[in-house]
């Protein structure tokens, strides 16, 4: 299985504001997209998802894509990481 970033990485924004685009990943097995898998996006310190939480879940679509909720930069400038993971893929 491979979980790869597709869009939303490398963004910047001002402290206290939302990033322009959500994060998007693709889950595949070989060349085949995997549908219906739950992907958990987990933010490190410095950013939160738009609903105020440190994690967001999305289900992969028929093409294997999952998109996070929007992200907001908190009051600490710097670089931040959001991890994407999926469990229980068969």
């Amino acid at each position: 299985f491979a979980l790869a970033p597709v869009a939303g990485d490398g963004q910047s924004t001002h402290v206290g504001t939302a990033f322009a685009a959500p994060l998007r990943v693709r889950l595949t097995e070989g060349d085949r997209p995997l549908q219906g898998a739950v992907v958990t996006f987990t933010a490190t310190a410095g950013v939160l998802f738009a609903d105020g939480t440190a994690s967001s879940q999305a289900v992969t679509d028929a093409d294997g894509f999952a998109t996070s909720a929007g992200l907001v930069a908190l009051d600490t400038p710097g670089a931040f990481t959001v991890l994407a993971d999926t469990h229980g893929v068969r």
Side-chain angles (χ1 to χ4, degrees):
F1 301 102
L3 185 62
V6 175
D9 58 336
Q11 297 182 73
S12 62
T13 194
H14 295 283
V15 168
T17 62
F19 288 87
L23 304 176
R24 191 169 193 206
V25 296
R26 187 168 193 227
L27 181 63
T28 58
E29 181 177 19
D31 291 338
R32 185 175 62 93
L34 295 177
Q35 180 179 8
V38 176
V39 175
T40 302
F41 296 89
T42 305
T44 60
V47 291
L48 289 176
F49 290 93
D51 65 0
T53 63
S55 67
S56 171
Q57 289 188 328
V59 177
T60 56
D61 64 16
D63 294 317
F65 293 106
T67 304
S68 75
L71 284 167
V72 176
L74 298 178
D75 58 0
T76 305
F80 306 102
T81 302
V82 176
L83 305 173
D85 193 15
T86 187
H87 299 283
V89 175
R90 295 184 182 154

